[in-house]
Amino acid sequence: MTRLPIIITCLFLLTSFISFSQDKGQELMWGERALKWIDFKGTPDNKSEFKAYTTSGMRYIPKYVGDSMHCEIITYFEYYKSWSVSQSEYLLEHEQIHFDITEYHARLFRKELSQHTFTSLSKVGSDLSEMLNRYTQSREKMQDLYDSETNHSKNQENQLKWNEKISDLLKSTEKFKSSLVLVYIGNIR
């Protein structure tokens, strides 16, 4: 019985270590600044029909503090997995929207986590993983829809609609812009 909190704490520390040990020189965190073409350092896929490719994602870093959990949910852009063979401001804006879609889903994750009630200490890790997986799948579906409707930026009318749509979604979730979420855990076992 008394081992469970120790095991959970070790799992959180391992997750934190893995997250922090990643080379920060390989990523741009959302909100630091807008994307620039110099950020696209990956090797282009010669078989791809696309002119640019953005790799972004979300991760969480939980930490216990007393009877609470401080969980940082980060949106990142990967320099060496993102690439371009053509560079225009219009195309860069299209790629920025991909990054913004990821941030929007991180905000939805933060919102849900801020309202979540954990029922068991042993389920904290699995609950967080399930939320991350769900928002990752939702993000991927939206990314695919975005590229489909804009024809990878070639449909300028739909591109403008998506620019406005994502801007509106980010404004509507502004309350969850901070990457840090504080969650009361209490005395659950």
Side-chain angles (χ1 to χ4, degrees), residues 1 7 31 46 53 65 78 108 141:
M1 284 278 212
I7 293 170
N46 294 330
Y53 187 80
V65 179
E78 294 188 67
L108 295 177
K141 286 179 185 174

Side-chain angles (χ1 to χ4, degrees), residues 2-186:
T2 59
R3 284 194 205 161
L4 188 57
I6 294 169
I7 293 170
I8 297 298
T9 301
C10 289
L11 287 173
F12 283 140
L13 290 173
L14 179 61
T15 303
S16 297
F17 174 77
I18 291 169
S19 296
F20 283 121
S21 67
Q22 292 181 1
D23 183 358
K24 297 305 177 196
Q26 306 234 351
E27 298 173 342
L28 174 69
M29 301 304 143
W30 192 93
E32 286 181 23
R33 62 173 169 73
L35 292 176
K36 298 178 182 179
W37 283 122
I38 60 169
D39 299 326
F40 292 75
K41 299 177 182 187
T43 303
D45 180 354
N46 294 330
K47 297 175 185 170
S48 176
E49 63 188 85
F50 308 130
K51 296 183 181 197
Y53 187 80
T54 292
T55 300
S56 62
M58 303 175 280
R59 70 171 165 266
Y60 61 87
I61 305 167
K63 182 169 44 169
Y64 278 122
V65 179
D67 60 358
S68 299
M69 177 180 62
H70 295 192
C71 189
E72 192 170 11
I73 300 172
I74 299 168
T75 304
Y76 59 90
F77 170 89
E78 294 188 67
Y79 295 127
Y80 293 97
K81 291 185 179 179
S82 303
W83 53 264
S84 70
V85 294
S86 177
Q87 298 181 352
S88 71
E89 287 306 309
Y90 177 77
L91 182 57
L92 184 60
E93 187 173 304
H94 176 84
E95 297 305 313
Q96 179 68 50
I97 296 296
H98 279 294
F99 196 19
D100 293 347
I101 287 171
T102 303
E103 170 62 15
Y104 169 66
H105 284 83
R107 290 180 184 190
L108 295 177
F109 182 4
R110 292 175 195 130
K111 179 181 180 180
E112 181 177 345
L113 181 58
S114 72
Q115 299 167 349
H116 187 76
T117 302
F118 291 100
T119 58
S120 162
L121 196 56
S122 65
K123 287 193 63 175
V124 172
S126 62
D127 285 1
L128 285 171
S129 291
E130 186 276 325
M131 283 183 236
L132 177 63
N133 289 338
R134 196 164 13 90
Y135 287 109
T136 296
Q137 289 174 1
S138 177
R139 171 188 62 95
E140 289 170 358
K141 286 179 185 174
M142 184 180 264
Q143 299 280 14
D144 290 343
L145 182 62
Y146 171 55
D147 273 336
S148 174
E149 290 186 1
T150 64
N151 192 16
H152 301 274
S153 82
K154 295 173 189 167
N155 183 325
Q156 293 183 358
E157 182 179 337
N158 282 350
Q159 182 66 56
L160 291 173
K161 288 178 184 176
W162 270 91
N163 292 356
E164 187 174 329
K165 175 181 180 173
I166 297 304
S167 176
D168 290 345
L169 289 172
L170 289 174
K171 285 176 189 167
S172 73
T173 54
E174 182 79 20
K175 181 178 177 182
F176 303 98
K177 182 178 180 179
S178 172
S179 64
L180 187 62
V181 180
L182 306 177
V183 181
Y184 175 71
I185 299 292

